[in-house]
Amino acid sequence: MNYGKRGIKSKNKELNAVGHKVNKKVAQLILKLILGAMAFVIVCGISLGIGLFKSILANTPVINISNMIATGQASIVYDAAGNEIDQYVSMNSNRIEVDWDEISDDAKLAFVCAEDERFYEHNGIDFKSIVRAGYQFIKSGGKETQGASTITQQLLKNTIFVDWMEEGDNKIRKIKRKIQEQYLALEVTKVTTKDEVLLRYMNAVNCGQNTLGIESASQRYFGKSAIDLDLSEALVIAIVTQNPTKYNPITKPEKNAERRLRVLDRMLEIGKIDQATYDAVKADSEDVYKRIGYHNTQLLETDAGISSYFSDSVYEAVRDDLVAMGTDKKEAERMLNSGGLRIYTTMDPEIQKIMNEEFQNPDNYSSEVHWYLNYALTITDNVGEQHNFSKEMMTKWFKEEQGQSNFNLIFADQESAYAAAEQYKNAMYEKLSVTETDKNCLESITLTAQPQVAMVIEDPHTGYVVAMMGGRGAKEGRRTLNRATGALRSPGSTFKVLGSFAPSIDAGLKTLASTYNDAPFNYDGGRAVKNWYTGYGQYGTVCSIRTAIIQSLNIIAVKNLTVVGPQLGYDYCEKLGFTSITDGEVINGQIYSDVNQTLSLGGLTHGVSPYELNAAYCALANGGVYCKPKLYTKVTDADGNIIIDNTQIEETRVFKETTAYLVTDAMREVMTRGTGTAAAFSGMTLAGKTGTSSKNKDFWFVGYSPYYSAATWTGYDNAIEMSTASSNREQDISKKMWKAIMKRVHENLPNASFEMPEGIVRARVCSKSGLLATDLCEQFGCAYEEMFDKDNVPEESCNLHYSGLVCAYCNRIATPNCPFATERTVELPLPEAPELVEGSTQIIEQEDGTETYIDPISSVYCVHTDEFFANPDYYNVIQQQQWEMQAAYEAAQQGQ
């Protein structure tokens, strides 16, 4: 370095040079520009960040604690005693809300320690946990992550951010959501208590096994309420929440146990529990999972998730009532499955328990069990086309191509049913030229025990249904075929009372003493009315309506309805709540109506259900007042606000009190000396009616006491004829089941009588005419005492027991010109009512192919009328009659 004068002078000259000054200024300018640009970028970055942050916050929903509730709750169903009997749950709705004091302190502690141990210390965001999680992430090279979300943030995830955030999982959206989540966590903490946040979290969090919230999880894993959880059990549930699949205590108990122990260690370490508590919980580490396993097994064995027939019917009733109130059907379904409804049913748990037990008792069924095959098959052929085959197609194939004309899908054992299904499947594969594989075959096989049985029990005074079974055997799922409410079958002879006898008595047209000839009779179309019985149905047999009820006489029921008019019977059936009867319904272009004579024997277009049949008989048990049957009393929301109040009894008077009492009195004798003796039991006053449909396809028994009414049906699901063989009396199942259940139901109830109303009087009448008895009726032993409505007592005296001139030929009152008149005291034949004459005319085919007409008796007077004598050939007819009488006399003499 030259520090001499010359050097200094040279240096100054260099510094003062123009070029040097320019370079220096350029450098300074560049530096300023760089610094300015950097400042601009920083300012812009800060501004942009602030803008973005503000934008994110601006798009953050404004909430309060009331918004922070999980959507979707299970609807709970209770019996009449307040016990939970079922839940209606859709996916992500198995949640039961509980209050703070309905959760044990141990459960609250377990959830805090397992999920957010500093919950009561931070302000909604735990910065220590964030730092810890970040450190662990860096330390593991990004391979290991730890949760840093607080309970407040998790609550937001489970309630606010479920449906609100856009779909997608990219990093920008995750960052955006995280900022909003943390911001809201801070805001929530400012305006609410920690306890409130914890409660809402415990009601919302996923606890695995399709349970949401502490209460439903507690019920699912341990069969107890959250208030009863101890620390050991609560920890198991709290562990699940971090990863419901990984820590499921049923499918992966070992993983749950590992984390449970880590949390337990930490609780002791930070002083949340003492050593004694730690030791007790640790000692329970194996047993707690055994208890879960045992309870899970119990649920599976009792068909968990498969509701009862009663609950199925309640679901449908509530849904239909919601729709009737104006709710859309889809919304009604949503309310039931995820609306958190509380449904209070009329089910009596003790009576339902009795019914369940007796339906499972093999002694109540016939000795032989048959199996009904419900079959469906789909085969995908070699070009990918699907071919569907039904049970109807299977039946047709066996009948037409295998020559099994009696094939009906009923089998003596399950092995035979499976073999038939396999045979049909192989035949269809061969027909399609396809080789069976797992991928091209979809097969559905269901076997149901036969005959089937259904039953309903109702309190006739309120209409409350207290018990129901829709079938025997295992129930396969929710809302399957409920034969108690959804299967319409012919009610058979049970309709004799409802459609014929009771209406005619109530209308004042007939009495219990009214009589008919139990003789062959035809419907209006000419078809003969068939009898199930022997000993009746012969010419000269006269029966009263009381006897017809007791012995269930077909011809009397049809004749009675013919006389009073089918429209009368139909109108009464409508009043009795039958919704399946019809008048003028068009089916496949043909008009159908139940306003006809077959109504008296239950010959209906569609049939009826046990549910409605029992409700109709309840009207007789309730003094003639029909109460609309009810399955539930009220529906509320989760907070107890009433949505449907169904407590009001909906009643309609159908019969007079006197009618109900008179018919009930006749039905009492059904139980003591009639067709229902097999259903009777001692210690209780009972009334009942049997029912059998044509070809023995349905067997019924409907009966009642002063307390309850019950209807039982038996039949095959495919409506084939049942066995009446002594070795396998399927016809007795309804009566046996009714007796077995109703006897137990009434065990602890005091015997009571059906109360006689005012207006019932007694009178002596003739058993042949149904009119007031005379001395001659007494002489012939035909007088007896009968009960009547005071306004419907016969006014006329008997005209069938007669003393005077009688025609010896026809044994009727002689006309003035009768050639065979003789003084006698006789019992005259009962003449047919004008409405019955045509149907009572019998046509007998002779050996030579000719037909002989037997005209019914239509008058108490003999045949020798003015019309008779107007016949020019009357003299020869009289001679013929004389010969007939002589031949009859000689035959009688020889017989002696």
Side-chain angles (χ1 to χ4, degrees):
M1 183 67 68
N2 184 6
Y3 292 103
K5 289 182 178 181
R6 182 180 292 179
I8 293 173
K9 185 177 181 179
S10 176
K11 188 66 176 176
N12 286 336
K13 184 178 181 179
E14 181 181 339
L15 291 174
N16 291 324
V18 175
H20 179 76
K21 289 181 178 182
V22 172
N23 290 337
K24 182 177 181 182
K25 287 182 179 182
V26 170
Q28 290 175 346
L29 179 61
I30 292 173
L31 178 61
K32 288 179 181 181
L33 289 174
I34 292 174
L35 292 175
M38 291 177 62
F40 177 78
V41 170
I42 291 172
V43 170
C44 288
I46 293 173
S47 298
L48 180 61
I50 293 173
L52 288 173
F53 186 74
K54 286 184 176 181
S55 175
I56 291 172
L57 296 186
N59 291 323
T60 302
V62 178
I63 65 165
N64 54 53
I65 192 64
S66 62
N67 299 133
M68 299 176 66
I69 55 174
T71 57
Q73 289 188 51
S75 290
I76 304 176
V77 186
Y78 302 96
D79 63 26
N83 306 303
E84 181 182 328
I85 58 172
D86 197 10
Q87 293 184 17
Y88 304 145
V89 185
S90 63
M91 186 62 68
N92 297 323
S93 296
N94 190 9
R95 184 190 330 273
I96 304 172
E97 295 278 352
V98 288
D99 293 329
W100 182 253
D101 57 1
E102 294 177 306
I103 304 174
S104 70
D105 291 339
D106 283 338
K108 297 166 188 172
L109 177 63
F111 269 70
V112 169
C113 292
E115 290 299 299
D116 185 3
E117 66 182 41
R118 297 183 63 253
F119 172 68
Y120 282 97
E121 300 169 21
H122 59 66
N123 59 357
I125 301 175
D126 190 354
F127 293 103
K128 288 185 178 181
S129 295
I130 294 173
V131 172
R132 184 195 70 243
Y135 172 75
Q136 186 63 33
F137 181 78
I138 294 171
K139 180 181 177 181
S140 64
K143 296 180 180 179
E144 185 176 335
T145 61
Q146 288 188 356
S149 293
T150 63
I151 283 178
T152 311
Q153 291 174 271
Q154 292 182 56
L155 174 60
L156 288 163
K157 290 177 183 177
N158 282 289
T159 58
I160 302 302
F161 290 101
V162 175
D163 299 318
W164 177 77
M165 281 296 294
E166 309 97 319
E167 293 184 0
D169 57 356
N170 60 63
K171 292 182 178 181
I172 293 177
R173 285 176 175 165
K174 284 184 177 181
I175 293 171
K176 177 181 176 182
R177 171 173 168 160
K178 201 67 179 177
I179 292 172
Q180 292 169 329
E181 179 187 294
Q182 292 177 342
Y183 169 74
L184 288 178
L186 293 171
E187 292 300 304
V188 167
T189 306
K190 294 177 184 178
V191 297
T192 191
T193 65
K194 289 286 188 177
D195 287 352
E196 181 71 15
V197 172
L198 180 60
L199 172 63
R200 291 177 181 271
Y201 170 74
M202 295 181 74
N203 273 322
V205 68
N206 185 346
C207 295
Q209 209 66 27
N210 193 33
T211 64
L212 302 173
I214 182 68
E215 178 65 19
S216 61
S218 180
Q219 296 285 357
R220 178 61 181 85
Y221 295 127
F222 298 103
K224 61 171 64 175
S225 295
I227 188 65
D228 299 318
L229 289 173
D230 59 29
L231 184 58
S232 177
E233 295 163 339
L235 272 173
V236 171
I237 298 174
I239 296 308
V240 178
T241 61
Q242 188 177 89
N243 189 323
T245 301
K246 180 178 180 180
Y247 297 120
N248 187 309
I250 293 176
T251 59
K252 296 182 179 179
E254 68 287 346
K255 292 292 184 181
N256 185 285
E258 289 175 5
R259 184 163 184 257
R260 175 178 173 275
L261 182 58
R262 291 199 301 270
V263 173
L264 185 64
D265 290 341
R266 180 63 178 167
M267 292 175 72
L268 179 64
E269 179 184 335
I270 62 178
K272 295 294 185 180
I273 57 174
D274 57 25
Q275 187 65 48
T277 303
Y278 175 88
D279 293 341
V281 174
K282 190 173 182 179
D284 191 43
S285 294
E286 291 185 9
D287 289 344
V288 69
Y289 295 100
K290 290 180 180 179
R291 295 198 297 274
I292 292 174
Y294 174 78
H295 182 65
N296 186 59
T297 301
Q298 292 292 104
L299 289 177
L300 295 176
E301 289 178 352
T302 55
D303 295 326
I306 298 179
S307 61
S308 68
Y309 289 107
F310 198 109
S311 180
D312 282 355
S313 297
V314 170
Y315 181 97
E316 293 169 358
V318 174
R319 180 198 61 200
D320 293 345
D321 287 348
L322 286 170
V323 171
M325 293 167 57
T327 306
D328 179 76
K329 185 175 181 179
K330 186 175 181 180
E331 173 62 15
E333 297 270 4
R334 186 204 65 77
M335 291 174 67
L336 278 162
N337 292 312
S338 61
L341 301 181
R342 302 296 182 260
I343 303 170
Y344 299 86
T345 75
T346 57
M347 179 199 285
D348 185 310
E350 295 302 319
I351 296 178
Q352 186 66 56
K353 180 174 182 288
I354 290 172
M355 186 179 286
N356 293 348
E357 291 172 353
E358 294 300 335
F359 262 67
Q360 294 171 10
N361 184 355
D363 293 339
N364 291 324
Y365 300 100
S366 52
S367 56
E368 297 178 11
V369 180
H370 295 91
W371 298 93
Y372 176 48
L373 173 63
N374 202 328
Y375 186 74
L377 173 67
T378 298
I379 297 175
T380 303
D381 63 22
N382 297 328
V383 296
E385 183 180 352
Q386 289 188 336
H387 301 265
N388 298 316
F389 303 92
S390 65
K391 63 183 179 183
E392 291 79 14
M393 296 169 69
M394 178 182 184
T395 301
K396 183 179 180 181
W397 183 81
F398 270 101
K399 285 184 175 182
E400 296 181 358
E401 300 192 29
Q402 299 300 304
Q404 299 182 26
S405 59
N406 294 324
F407 186 85
N408 57 13
L409 298 171
I410 299 294
F411 298 88
D413 53 69
Q414 297 188 36
E415 291 74 16
S416 299
Y418 284 117
E422 186 70 16
Q423 180 184 353
Y424 178 68
K425 180 179 69 173
N426 292 337
M428 295 306 101
Y429 268 104
E430 183 177 346
K431 179 180 179 180
L432 296 172
S433 300
V434 178
T435 302
E436 180 182 358
T437 68
D438 292 338
K439 294 182 179 180
N440 67 10
C441 176
L442 183 61
E443 189 178 25
S444 173
I445 299 178
T446 303
L447 294 177
T448 309
Q450 302 291 322
Q452 272 295 327
V453 186
M455 187 174 185
V456 180
I457 303 179
E458 181 180 326
D459 180 343
H461 310 294
T462 61
Y464 288 1
V465 177
V466 297
M468 175 192 296
M469 283 293 285
R472 68 186 283 196
K475 190 169 181 288
E476 299 296 333
R478 285 188 176 272
R479 291 182 282 288
T480 54
L481 173 62
N482 186 343
R483 299 166 187 84
T485 59
L488 302 180
R489 303 295 290 252
S490 169
S493 298
T494 63
F495 251 49
K496 290 173 182 174
V497 170
L498 302 178
S500 179
F501 297 134
S504 67
I505 294 172
D506 197 66
L509 301 175
K510 296 293 174 180
T511 71
L512 286 176
S514 298
T515 56
Y516 293 94
N517 287 306
D518 191 22
F521 184 70
N522 298 326
Y523 293 111
D524 288 346
R527 180 167 57 93
V529 178
K530 293 184 178 180
N531 293 330
W532 65 268
Y533 44 85
T534 57
Y536 294 89
Q538 306 299 320
Y539 287 106
T541 302
V542 176
C543 295
S544 68
I545 285 180
R546 178 183 283 272
T547 300
I549 292 174
I550 296 169
Q551 300 299 336
S552 194
L553 306 182
N554 290 6
I555 287 174
I556 307 299
V558 177
K559 282 187 172 183
N560 185 68
L561 187 61
T562 303
V563 171
V564 301
Q567 187 66 54
L568 178 71
Y570 182 87
D571 291 344
Y572 271 86
C573 287
E574 276 197 319
K575 295 176 186 177
L576 289 168
F578 289 108
T579 59
S580 55
I581 59 175
T582 183
D583 181 15
E585 180 180 356
V586 178
I587 304 175
N588 296 326
Q590 186 174 349
I591 299 175
Y592 289 83
S593 174
D594 294 325
V595 185
N596 54 54
Q597 294 164 296
T598 60
L599 175 75
S600 59
L601 300 183
L604 306 175
T605 303
H606 300 296
V608 301
S609 67
Y611 181 78
E612 289 192 348
L613 183 64
N614 188 51
Y617 268 87
C618 281
L620 293 171
N622 192 35
V625 176
Y626 170 81
C627 295
K628 182 180 178 181
K630 293 181 181 291
L631 294 162
Y632 71 95
T633 55
K634 67 177 179 179
V635 178
T636 73
D637 61 19
D639 297 322
N641 300 308
I642 293 179
I643 296 174
I644 302 178
D645 184 349
N646 200 36
T647 56
Q648 184 68 38
I649 298 174
E650 300 177 52
E651 56 185 21
T652 304
R653 176 162 291 285
V654 178
F655 300 113
K656 294 178 288 190
E657 277 191 279
T658 52
T659 301
Y661 182 81
L662 292 171
V663 173
T664 295
D665 190 70
M667 289 172 60
R668 284 181 58 198
E669 292 193 79
V670 171
M671 308 291 284
T672 58
R673 64 185 184 94
T675 56
T677 55
F681 54 87
S682 61
M684 184 56 61
T685 305
L686 303 171
K689 184 69 190 75
T690 54
T692 306
S693 67
S694 61
K695 297 184 179 179
N696 295 328
K697 292 181 179 180
D698 306 272
F699 288 111
W700 297 81
F701 188 78
V702 190
Y704 51 87
S705 72
Y707 298 100
Y708 297 105
S709 175
T712 308
W713 164 85
T714 303
Y716 280 75
D717 282 337
N718 60 342
I720 66 169
E721 183 174 351
M722 280 185 284
S723 170
T724 57
S726 58
S727 61
N728 183 34
R729 292 181 61 84
E730 294 175 337
Q731 65 184 24
D732 292 337
I733 295 176
S734 287
K735 287 179 278 192
K736 287 176 65 176
M737 187 68 74
W738 192 96
K739 178 179 180 178
I741 292 172
M742 292 294 273
K743 183 177 181 180
R744 292 179 60 187
V745 167
H746 288 83
E747 275 180 351
N748 298 317
L749 296 174
N751 196 355
S753 300
F754 298 107
E755 186 175 348
M756 180 186 292
E758 293 183 4
I760 295 292
V761 296
R762 297 177 182 272
R764 287 190 71 76
V765 292
C766 174
S767 61
K768 299 297 182 179
S769 66
L771 303 176
L772 295 176
T774 65
D775 291 341
L776 288 176
C777 299
E778 299 282 356
Q779 181 180 327
F780 275 85
C782 295
Y784 75 102
E785 192 174 75
E786 182 59 274
M787 292 189 294
F788 300 88
D789 180 301
K790 64 180 179 59
D791 296 324
N792 197 28
V793 181
E795 296 180 353
E796 299 179 12
S797 295
C798 173
N799 59 357
L800 297 184
H801 294 100
Y802 173 76
S803 183
L805 291 176
V806 177
C807 175
Y809 174 72
C810 61
N811 206 39
R812 285 180 267 175
I813 298 174
T815 59
N817 298 318
C818 177
F820 306 119
T822 181
E823 190 78 26
R824 289 185 187 178
T825 298
V826 296
E827 180 178 282
L828 301 171
L830 177 68
E832 295 289 1
E835 299 90 346
L836 304 177
V837 171
E838 182 177 351
S840 298
T841 301
Q842 299 300 308
I843 304 174
I844 300 177
E845 186 174 343
Q846 303 298 321
E847 292 182 0
D848 59 1
T850 61
E851 294 179 339
T852 299
Y853 290 81
I854 300 179
D855 293 321
I857 298 171
S858 58
S859 173
V860 295
Y861 292 96
C862 79
V863 297
H864 304 106
T865 62
D866 291 341
E867 183 180 359
F868 174 84
F869 289 105
N871 182 356
D873 198 32
Y874 78 87
Y875 181 77
N876 292 331
V877 175
I878 290 175
Q879 278 193 320
Q880 178 66 34
Q881 291 174 346
Q882 199 167 21
W883 292 336
E884 288 177 10
M885 286 190 293
Q886 182 64 32
Y889 173 78
E890 292 175 356
Q893 290 296 107
Q894 291 177 1
Q896 292 179 356

